[in-house]
Amino acid sequence: MQTYYIVTMGCQMNENDSEKIAGMLEMEGYTKAANIENTDILVINTCSIRENANNRFFGNLGSFKTIKKEKPDMILAVCGCMMQQEEIVDIIRNKYRYVDIIFGTHNLYKFPQLLNERINGKKPVYEIIKDTSVIHEEIPIKHEYNHKAYVSITFGCDNFCTYCIVPYTRGREKSRTSENILNEVKSLANKGCKEIMLLGQNVNSYGKGLNEDIDFSKLLRRLNEIDGIQRIRFMTSHPKDLSDKMIDAIEECDKVCKNIHLPLQSGSNSILKAMNRKYTKEHYLSLIDKLRDKIPDITISTDIIVGFPSETEEDFMHTLDVVEKVKYDSAFTFIYSPRNGTIAAKMPYEISESTLKDRFDRLIKLQHGIMADLSEKYVGTVQEVLTDGFSKTDKNMLCGRTRSNKLVNFLGNSREGDIVNVLINNATPFHLKGEMLK
Ligand code: SAH
Ligand code: SF4
Ligand code: F3S
């Protein structure tokens, strides 16, 4: 039996794409290899978001050379966002000639065909296409879990935040029809799936360009009716498009988890303008007030970039101010890194390494303190947890997530996919610990 192994970098979109690659390979009769050393096909699904993602990728490619030498018949395929960057593909073609197949984000569906071309021919197969407006619904998906699944609702992005490469690697924003999404979720529910995570770079603008009367709030309401599904999550929400209608839908749909990922990026109005984010600090804070007024127990997470070109100490203090006011349940913090082809990459850059590090450390310290306080409040409460399996950090414990998306390690005897009640008896900033109640 021929086997495959997929290494996935980057975000949930890429994870979902890797599930599609797995789905196509299984249709062709391949099975998942137990480990990377013993595979017939190795696929690297890349991400372009940060400089160190590039470095890590080329580091990995170098190390795969050894595997290729020992197993010359193994097919090495690289795909994903980095392959939509011409300069990266050029480097691979010139310096990493042992790569067998290169494909991009828009021709994922052709992978089985490209694979056959490589197997039947002598030469490497490279095929990258620029943006296309077609959504390929026919691709089979092999979901990583039975009890929870990613469901993409939009692809691409039209926002062009000045630091971001995603609009270039993923193309223009396209929405799937509500019929296709509802059918996918119904079929997942029939197979026992309990939680869905709706994916889009900006789910709030779902429906744009579709020939039907739909928007994200309506989609949530329809998904909420599907029997079997018990939890609905979604990401990412762009603050500029978060409407009252959508906040109402989150509040009113019982299956929709009271949890939102609302990237701030910066708390400074001049930086937000330079980032082309199209909202102000004041508007952002008013959204948080609205959310908490309507849904008092909502948990909120965010993304923040430190050191965008021209960020001053005063700008940074505005970011800290928002973090202090909002008290995020979690925050992904990034140090700005210029991405080739973006507008921000051409802006002059004068922030020193030591200033960057200092700002980053202050932000992390503030955020970790907030998370410690928030986690502490869970101690003594009973939480509904959807079991994911055994904990990765402590094999004697199970792990899962609360509806508020807190990670919980717990003692008990539930199985993957079981929804159980857990008494929380301990908390760290990053996770809770507890015991399952009978
Ligand atoms: N569509 C989502 C984000 C996708 S990228 C949104 O609009 O929020 C995930 C995160 O990576 C971004 O929110 C941003 O914080 C970070 N990011 C993107 N480009 C970056 C860059 N050039 N440097 C540092 N962080 C970046
Ligand atoms: Fe990038 Fe902005 Fe689009 Fe998010 S909304 S993917 S940060 S361009
Ligand atoms: Fe995601 Fe990275 Fe592409 S964050 S969309 S995999 S550039």
Side-chain angles (χ1 to χ4, degrees):
M1 188 77 85
Q2 294 280 92
T3 57
Y4 69 89
Y5 193 93
I6 306 173
V7 178
T8 310
M9 294 155 173
C11 66
Q12 290 89 348
M13 311 272 165
N14 257 16
E15 287 178 33
N16 194 215
D17 280 353
S18 286
E19 292 179 332
K20 291 178 184 168
I21 295 169
M24 291 186 286
L25 287 171
E26 301 228 340
M27 282 274 273
E28 298 283 305
Y30 294 90
T31 55
K32 191 172 168 187
N35 54 51
I36 195 166
E37 284 82 22
N38 291 308
T39 183
D40 298 302
I41 301 176
L42 176 57
V43 184
I44 319 291
N45 193 0
T46 62
C47 165
S48 315
I49 214 85
R50 275 169 297 159
E51 185 79 49
N52 56 12
N54 278 24
N55 298 342
R56 231 181 42 189
F57 168 65
F58 283 116
N60 276 344
L61 260 195
S63 69
F64 296 142
K65 188 174 187 175
T66 333
I67 306 184
K68 261 302 255 193
K69 260 195 187 143
E70 280 162 19
K71 282 187 74 179
D73 290 340
M74 182 192 79
I75 293 197
L76 176 58
V78 291
C79 62
C81 290
M82 280 174 81
M83 299 310 120
Q84 296 295 145
Q85 297 174 262
E86 265 167 46
E87 71 277 16
I88 301 275
V89 173
D90 285 346
I91 297 175
I92 301 174
R93 293 180 107 140
N94 293 322
K95 292 204 188 145
Y96 300 87
R97 288 168 188 246
Y98 50 90
V99 170
D100 297 285
I101 302 172
I102 303 178
F103 61 104
T105 56
H106 303 302
N107 58 348
L108 192 81
Y109 72 99
K110 278 181 81 177
F111 182 47
Q113 185 189 325
L114 302 176
L115 182 61
N116 282 329
E117 274 175 37
R118 178 65 189 101
I119 290 169
N120 299 324
K122 293 242 169 328
K123 282 206 258 145
V125 177
Y126 306 137
E127 189 190 276
I128 306 294
I129 53 174
K130 298 268 184 213
D131 202 358
T132 127
S133 51
V134 184
I135 294 180
H136 289 274
E137 290 287 349
E138 73 285 0
I139 309 179
I141 306 181
K142 178 166 191 288
H143 290 286
E144 180 150 358
Y145 298 97
N146 263 333
H147 65 287
K148 59 177 188 181
Y150 293 130
V151 176
S152 294
I153 63 167
T154 67
F155 300 99
C157 184
D158 287 348
N159 289 316
F160 290 94
C161 301
T162 54
Y163 51 82
C164 185
I165 198 161
V166 171
Y168 306 93
T169 61
R170 293 273 169 178
R172 295 293 59 72
E173 184 179 310
K174 301 177 272 286
S175 292
R176 292 175 71 194
T177 64
S178 61
E179 190 187 355
N180 282 329
I181 297 169
L182 289 162
N183 285 343
E184 180 177 351
V185 175
K186 280 179 200 154
S187 126
L188 283 164
N190 287 338
K191 289 184 224 145
C193 179
K194 293 182 179 160
E195 176 178 304
I196 51 165
M197 164 70 101
L198 306 172
L199 297 180
Q201 294 299 349
N202 176 13
V203 290
N204 307 41
S205 62
Y206 169 74
K208 209 171 72 181
L210 282 180
N211 213 354
E212 54 174 317
D213 174 26
I214 190 90
D215 61 14
F216 188 57
S217 60
K218 285 184 188 156
L219 182 71
L220 277 184
R221 288 178 193 279
R222 289 193 201 161
L223 289 166
N224 199 54
E225 301 298 314
I226 296 179
D227 287 340
I229 297 297
Q230 302 193 29
R231 292 179 172 191
I232 302 173
R233 300 189 189 281
F234 54 89
M235 74 186 295
T236 295
S237 297
H238 195 306
K240 80 176 167 65
D241 296 318
L242 180 62
S243 64
D244 290 355
K245 259 169 86 185
M246 189 176 146
I247 298 175
D248 289 344
I250 302 172
E251 185 204 355
E252 287 161 25
C253 295
D254 59 323
K255 294 176 182 175
V256 173
C257 292
K258 309 308 178 214
N259 167 241
I260 190 165
H261 185 65
L262 198 65
L264 169 69
Q265 310 304 359
S266 168
S268 149
N269 286 341
S270 59
I271 296 294
L272 286 169
K273 191 151 199 280
M275 286 176 161
N276 191 31
R277 290 289 289 180
K278 300 198 170 86
Y279 54 85
T280 60
K281 174 185 180 185
E282 293 72 28
H283 179 68
Y284 186 93
L285 287 171
S286 74
L287 289 175
I288 300 286
D289 285 346
K290 238 187 237 175
L291 283 163
R292 290 213 163 117
D293 268 354
K294 285 240 167 184
I295 315 164
D297 58 346
I298 194 163
T299 53
I300 304 173
S301 58
T302 200
D303 291 351
I304 295 172
I305 299 178
V306 172
F308 184 81
S310 83
E311 184 187 74
T312 61
E313 175 63 20
E314 197 192 332
D315 292 320
F316 178 65
M317 291 299 283
H318 280 293
T319 300
L320 291 186
D321 184 45
V322 176
V323 170
E324 223 156 317
K325 289 198 165 107
V326 176
K327 301 206 187 324
Y328 292 107
D329 292 84
S330 74
F332 296 95
T333 44
F334 302 88
I335 289 186
Y336 169 75
S337 97
R339 306 285 67 211
N340 233 347
T342 62
I343 292 172
K346 296 191 192 84
M347 297 177 182
Y349 200 83
E350 279 158 11
I351 310 171
S352 72
E353 281 287 323
S354 61
T355 304
L356 269 183
K357 188 175 177 314
D358 172 63
R359 287 184 193 160
F360 194 72
D361 290 349
R362 280 152 67 204
L363 174 62
I364 297 274
K365 192 160 167 240
L366 173 64
Q367 178 55 26
H368 285 182
I370 292 168
M371 279 157 57
D373 290 347
L374 292 174
S375 285
E376 200 58 42
K377 296 205 171 111
Y378 282 78
V379 175
T381 66
V382 174
Q383 297 291 321
E384 183 207 285
V385 174
L386 173 58
T387 314
D388 283 330
F390 284 99
S391 157
K392 290 201 175 74
T393 47
D394 184 346
K395 294 278 175 223
N396 296 318
M397 294 191 117
L398 294 162
C399 71
R401 296 222 171 229
T402 63
R403 291 185 75 86
S404 61
N405 208 23
K406 280 271 175 192
L407 178 65
V408 185
N409 284 353
F410 61 100
L411 290 170
N413 56 5
S414 59
R415 283 173 310 174
E416 190 179 297
D418 287 347
I419 293 182
V420 295
N421 286 323
V422 174
L423 173 64
I424 306 300
N425 51 31
N426 200 330
T428 74
F430 311 101
H431 74 290
L432 307 173
K433 275 190 181 169
E435 229 170 282
M436 185 180 136
L437 299 177
K438 296 278 173 285

